[in-house]
Amino acid sequence: MKKTLLALAVVAAGSANAGINLYDANGVKVDLSGAAEVQYREDYNPFNDAELRIDDADLAINTSVAISDQLSAVAGTAFEYEDGDVRNDELWAGFSSDFGTLTFGRQYMISDDSGVGKDYELGSESIDFVQTNGNEVVKYVYDNGTFYFGASHDIKDSGVIVDKNGVTHKDRDTSITDARIGYRVAGLDARVYYYNGDNVAGTSFFNGVVDVEGYNVEAEYGFGAVGLAASFGQVEYKNSFGADKLRANVYQVAADYTIDKTTFAIGYNNYDRRDESGDNYAVYANVTQQLHSNVKVYAEIGDTDVKFAEGNVTRSADFGYVAGMEVKF
């Protein structure tokens, strides 16, 4: 489906779906969007108790101003406040035309869209590009409905970054470049992501500033009520001396089936780590009920063979479960 210029601008910045048009006159469009998502979750960590948590809480404003029939100026700002602290995670401006959208500023990068998992919380073992947003990002997105391409670059960012999981990183001259190329035809959507980051702060496996390089090949196919998805990726982390710290192959497969307003999904993720940890998997299943186009409820269960350690104690993972509700506009 060919996107409008404003839709391309929203995609370029990674904002929430536009929901309410605040103003549309004289070539100026202003849209407000937001989401609130609450869960009751028992995650895989056996040292954690089940909790009622806010999974998503954000508010975004996007605007498009027509300069000519072929060119628009676009801008957006967004706020996250899952943890009770309001954080401005997006503040960008740029230009949009039939040749794509170019934006500058604080925004999510191309690689933030990577992944084919159909899980809410319990997929667990997916590819980890570590940091996919920045304060000094230049981003270009092109999409004609069939072919699409995008690239972004974070220019020697030394500011404070809060990632999509709410984790704060103090960058040390972090520089990130990523890209995506994709093609859609007859229900098939195939794409490739590439990521290269220098002086990225921390990973899921070890602390410290590291260099990260990786890619993910993804494909999704929909026919009727059935959707299938699969991906394969590789990622490598190195310390500042260039010594290999960790290499991993990441596999994901998933499927869903929709009946009226109810969707059932299952998936399997495998993280094959090239160290003493070997490979780990996560398997999950969920059901989603769409109560309204802007309201859904869901439940999910999952299992993994990942081990967790606290002090000198190591335990097997708990059986995970999640029940949640999302309201967006």
Side-chain angles (χ1 to χ4, degrees), residues 207-222:
N207 296 319
V209 176
V210 295
D211 296 337
V212 184
E213 184 174 14
Y215 68 87
N216 207 39
V217 181
E218 306 175 0
E220 295 182 271
Y221 183 66

Side-chain angles (χ1 to χ4, degrees), residues 161-183:
I161 294 296
V162 180
D163 66 23
K164 61 184 177 181
N165 297 315
V167 178
T168 300
H169 305 286
K170 178 61 173 71
D171 287 341
R172 306 174 188 175
D173 291 329
T174 298
S175 178
I176 301 171
T177 301
D178 61 7
R180 171 188 62 209
I181 185 170
Y183 186 75

